[in-house]
Amino acid sequence: MWTDRTSGSHPLSRRELLWQSAFGIGAFALTHLLHRDGLLAQAPPKPGENLPLDLKPRAPHFAPKAKAMISLFMHGGPSHVDLLDPKPELTRLHGKDYSGEVGFSFVNRASKRLLGSPWKFARHGKCGTPVSELLPHLAEIVDDICVLRSMHTGHNGHEVSIRYFHNGQAAVTGRPTMGSWLVYALGSAAQNLPAYLVLSDPGGHPVDGTHNWSSGFMPPLYQGTVLRPQEPRILNLDAPAHLRGELQRDNLDLLAALNRRHLAAHPGEADLESRIASYELAAQMQTAAKEALDLSREPEPIRRMYGLDDPLTQSYGERCLIARRLVERGVRFVQLFLGGQPWDTHTSIRTTLPDICRRTDRPAAALVKDLKQRGLLDSTLVHWGGEIGRLPVCEGELNDQVGRDHNGQGFSVWLAGGGVKGGMVYGATDEVGHKAAENVVTPNDYQATVLHLLGLDHSRLVYRHNGREQRLIDGRPARVVKEILA
Amino acid sequence: MGRVIPPHVPSPWNNPRPEQVELLAATGFFRTAPDPTASGGGQAEAEQVVADTLKIVGSSLLGLTIDAPSATITVTTRFPTSTTSAPPCSSRALDPGAQRRPPQRLVSLYTDADRAKAAAIEAEVAKMQADLTARQTKAVKAAFDVTLATFPAEQRAALRAAFDTPDAKRTPEQKKLVATNPKLNINPGVLYQYNQAVADELQKLQNAINVRRAQKPVEEFVAVLDETPGRVPVTRLHHRGDYRQPKGEVTPGDLTVLAADGKRSDFTAKDPTLPTTGRRLALARHLTSGEHPLTARVLVNRLWLHHFGRGLVDSPGDFGTLGQRPSHPELLDWLASELVRTGWSVKQIHRLLVTSTAYRQSSKRVPAHDIDNSNTLLARYPVRRLEAEAVRDRILAATGRLDRRPGGPPVAGSEDAVGQVNAPDDQPRRSLYLQAKRTRPIAFLAAFDAPVGELCCDRRVSSTVAPQALMLMNSDFVLQQAGHLARRVLAETPADFDRDRLRSASARFARPSDAWSYGFGEYDPTARRVIGFNALGHWTGSSWQAGPTLPDPRHGWVLLHAGGGHAGNDQKHAAVRRWTAPRDGRMELSGKLGHASPGGDGVRGRVVSSRGGLLGEWQAKNREVATTVAAFDVRAGDTVDLAVDCVGDVNADSFSWPVTLRLTSAGGAVQTWTSAADFHGPRPALPQLVAFAWQLVYGRPVGDDELDLAGRFLTKQLATLSAAGTPDAEAAALTNLCQQLLASSEFLYVD
């Protein structure tokens, strides 16, 4: 039994640790223990050594505010000046030429004509945070969210900024995403569900595909497990119809008997024990994941709240609801994606932006409300945002087809719960909303803050790879945005 | 890497000789980095390709991690003597200043002879096509004339004029005529409806054209990295890694940190004897000179890693001070010198490794081994899970279907109904030949830690995760292969396989007797029973017949196959499919007796119960008749015969008669039999089948206690499957057994 050996004085090698990988724990007793105690407090790894490469729950560096995170990633660049960052000056200057410098992505359609938001803003909640009329449901929860208006990647390209947000470095691939870092650091309380789940869209993968949930140089056990947008949401979860029930139990019994005989001939081989356990856990997952993903168990008012009764919001609503059910069951990190990049409103913003708002606004707000009414919001960090924002000037002619080009210089995201102050606005862009001007927040600052909320110091969270200590932010300047902490 | 190849690419490499093709293909090593310039992108992307390629060269050949953001080289592998370095050989075959996109880096392997042959065939085909077109036109016209003649004479002129006029020029009246007389709208595609003989004739010509065109040599391409002759680009250090800030010039050479005396190996900027700069050749010679401190060590360490699961240096891509120290430094050095001494013969090193005592050790662990938990010192052979490709190949090999042919075009994966990418089941090639696409990894391989191809994977992880278990339990791939394996076991197990040892085991296998038997006999109209039933003794692989030849000298044409059979020559040789009741119950029987031939006098089918006599009788000649029988009672041991005779003469007496039997027991349990699905040939005893499956999967005889285990399993599953009315329950149970063997540790691990 490897558990006996871990309790001894022999340090485990990287190889042995690999044996104890995802779900592949050797002893159920340990799981029970963890469930009882909530967390496994364990000695920090020696300098230069990785954490055990498994998904058992682990203590963070310090007491966390959030235990889990749900990220509603909005690919394409939501137009902050039309949604969360009202600019009266932009409205006043509508149609005039902008005097400042602008970096364009689509120079062929570039223009310096300022485009005032076609939509009205109004103040909401006790806090009075202004929200565009495009987001009526978000307006209902402003007292629970903190809007960061000074996001800045410095890059206008999608992939460049997406990677910056996900893995800490602009444009670079092959690095683990923040979700990978979180489950590497913290493991998962849900041993019969994947720790890091990605909820994909019926419209296909988002831009940049599997890079969005890659574990990079970490083992694949830390990569996001993609749940399909419709059943079967997990592949190979169910036995084919002709094998269900008694036959599959017989099959697994025979397999376990064969494997135990093999193990008996190879005493002490931890991986062979893990193999046996992996089958037992797979069998458990067949029930646990089914249960977690079964939305028919949700009462009608909840289903309506998420917009499951409306074809427009049904798909995103289902995923928001699944996200809540997953964190309820101990999953550490859940990220929702939309197909392609629906927020990339280069043309006809007057119709394309309301469309994507209608698909997502009600479910996203419902998620925060629902978490709150269940007492889960305090321990669950919710993130809403894209990788960039949009320019205050026109893309194309100022007519029905007018749009807005990419803007990585300044844009907005919001956070809720998990130790973030509600009813707050942080940072500001310049008077027309082009550049982050006050309290600039980079993706690295955002990552440092997220890790802090989950009880982790970004500079101490290390994974050794290729002879060097790697970190999510990797030594770049980053600060925890303390001002938004509750 | 599965790039889509454009139709034609001009090439400076005309008529490459086979050895040149090999050299060109070898440069493809430098083409393994992701190259975004295929779909656009500018200098930034081109510089990234250079940096990625340097990374690949560094970690694979030098055991170094080279981070080269645009030619500023940071060797993150640190060495005791130095922490920074000048860039290695700056060959600019990758030349961001004059970037050639991937499609421009393909060399066509078409020779002048191929080209001439292709042109000659095309010319010939053009002639054939012209001839075909002329004949088609003529045939269409002829058909039109014949059809037109069926119209009243006074309409013909107007119709002909309407159809002869091009559509754009037709008057409204003409358009109406065309629209309302579709039977005159004749084209080559519908010609067969008017004149089958002519259409067949034309089809033959078309086929001949297709055959001829298929004889054109296939144009193949090889992805290369070559330099533009005559161009000697200047390489500059990029300030802070920014390619937009080029600074001092860098001359070609190896990494400074690798020079023994601190003096860098420099290469000439331009080899005067070659049309290109010759820098890569210089680097290659330097690396393989036998003097280079890393190349040979890195290579033998990698070979060791593949045989033993870990390298002598456990960080195969990092030989610096930040990597792991070698566990056996003298051994590493000796192996490296052996490699050089044997003229870089990788085969010799493989031989050396696999014949070594270390390799041939048992993997059995004893308590004394606990002092070296990780087995770094190799006191035993490690227990290792097979790599992804080997798991798949081994499964295919167990089913006997693995296509071991070397070379040839790759097999593309395809997405199933739920978006999982699978290799096609009908092309069971080695996993090596599956097309590797970064964006579409084969699901089975990815589950078992096959790398996705993001730059270099210097060492694979070997995870043990629940998704692997789910893959082995429930995936279509594994279920399919278990079915193939079970079919192989049923078809290939020798009847006397290990008979002496297994004889006593039969008692432990409760094999439900097969309800069906296949023979011939005679219907006795007086007794209203089938008499003289004789089993058909010869199995052809798909049918039961009297003997190896057909007709059989004694018993004539009688035979039975899954869907039906052939009646015998006389009334004594009716083909009889006999079902024997395993228990009491009420039986419903339905089916369709079919006789397809217009010749002969047809066949006669009878359903005859040993208890109730004749229950139904039908004749079929060139038609199908439903053969439904009113529900009747059976007792255990009763037979129900489906007897087909030739009526009067035995010409053209093939028949089909699929039948479904439904037996309802007194308790209400229903069991179904399907004559076609249940049909099979002779089967060895269950212990033999189990023992043979063990031999195929594990390559060893089954143990006695394993036989017990399998016996209990099959007995229980056969009961469950039979009760559920599963067709051929035995094959289904055996499939499940095979699947568990394929999913078991003994199969997945090497020890």
Side-chain angles (χ1 to χ4, degrees), chain B residues 26-379:
Chain B
T27 68
F29 171 65
F30 295 110
R31 296 285 314 278
T32 51
D35 192 338
T37 65
S39 52
Q43 196 180 351
E45 285 75 12
E47 296 282 358
Q48 186 62 40
V49 177
V50 178
D52 288 348
T53 304
L54 276 174
K55 266 187 205 172
I56 290 170
V57 173
S59 64
S60 62
L61 296 179
L62 301 174
L64 298 179
T65 307
I66 299 177
D67 261 325
S70 312
T72 299
I73 307 296
T74 318
V75 180
T76 48
T77 298
R78 287 202 202 116
F79 286 83
T81 49
S82 170
T83 53
T84 56
S85 185
C89 169
S90 35
S91 156
R92 297 329 287 269
L94 281 167
D95 186 358
Q99 171 73 7
R100 281 180 291 160
R101 298 175 192 284
Q104 298 166 313
R105 294 186 181 277
L106 292 170
V107 168
S108 168
L109 299 183
Y110 241 30
T111 61
D112 288 344
D114 289 334
R115 217 163 265 125
K117 189 173 176 198
I121 290 175
E122 241 349 290
E124 200 181 313
V125 163
K127 266 192 220 146
M128 293 163 81
Q129 184 66 54
D131 175 45
L132 173 62
T133 310
R135 284 166 187 257
Q136 276 174 339
T137 312
K138 200 172 143 210
V140 166
K141 187 172 179 309
F144 183 86
D145 290 346
V146 169
T147 312
L148 189 65
T150 65
F151 283 77
E154 66 278 13
Q155 294 176 11
R156 291 177 199 162
L159 282 165
R160 182 180 294 280
F163 277 91
D164 282 353
T165 310
D167 188 48
K169 293 193 175 161
R170 281 174 187 149
T171 64
E173 293 75 36
Q174 285 181 325
K175 283 193 176 166
K176 199 175 162 202
L177 278 178
V178 169
T180 50
N181 293 289
K183 67 189 281 198
L184 283 171
N185 194 6
I186 305 170
N187 60 53
V190 298
L191 200 53
Y192 71 95
Q193 298 166 0
Y194 296 80
N195 189 336
Q196 185 72 51
V198 170
D200 288 348
E201 205 54 40
L202 294 174
Q203 188 57 47
K204 272 185 205 154
L205 291 175
Q206 182 63 58
N207 293 347
I209 289 176
N210 296 347
V211 166
R212 192 71 185 113
R213 190 167 266 150
Q215 289 164 352
K216 279 187 356 182
V218 179
E219 185 167 14
E220 291 185 302
F221 297 86
V222 56
V224 304
L225 188 79
D226 60 348
E227 286 181 41
T228 309
R231 188 176 152 82
V232 185
V234 171
T235 307
R236 294 184 181 282
L237 272 178
H238 292 162
H239 181 60
R240 300 172 66 93
D242 183 353
Y243 69 89
R244 289 164 300 191
Q245 302 183 56
K247 299 288 179 201
E249 190 178 334
V250 187
T251 56
D254 194 9
L255 291 166
T256 312
V257 291
L258 298 182
D261 52 2
K263 192 174 170 302
R264 195 173 82 125
S265 295
D266 287 318
F267 309 145
T268 51
K270 168 78 182 80
D271 185 331
T273 65
L274 296 171
T276 53
T277 63
R279 296 179 190 180
R280 273 180 302 163
L281 186 59
L283 176 64
R285 286 187 173 135
H286 175 59
L287 290 176
T288 56
S289 63
E291 302 292 312
H292 196 279
L294 287 172
T295 326
R297 287 188 178 93
V298 169
L299 181 52
V300 291
N301 188 58
R302 204 164 278 293
L303 300 178
W304 185 280
L305 160 70
H306 288 304
H307 287 299
F308 288 90
R310 64 175 280 164
L312 294 168
V313 175
D314 198 22
S315 51
D318 195 339
F319 271 52
T321 54
L322 291 177
Q324 305 287 311
R325 310 291 298 166
S327 55
H328 303 73
E330 298 86 354
L331 177 57
L332 179 68
D333 285 354
W334 180 73
L335 287 170
S337 63
E338 279 298 294
L339 178 66
V340 176
R341 195 182 62 78
T342 55
W344 298 85
S345 168
V346 172
K347 193 172 177 178
Q348 288 299 332
I349 299 297
H350 279 304
R351 191 195 312 277
L352 196 59
L353 296 184
V354 299
T355 54
S356 67
T357 310
Y359 184 84
R360 291 180 293 131
Q361 289 180 106
S362 160
S363 59
K364 187 101 181 177
R365 199 181 161 121
V366 297
H369 291 145
D370 285 351
I371 58 169
D372 179 23
N373 250 338
S374 61
N375 196 29
T376 313
L377 301 174
L378 291 163

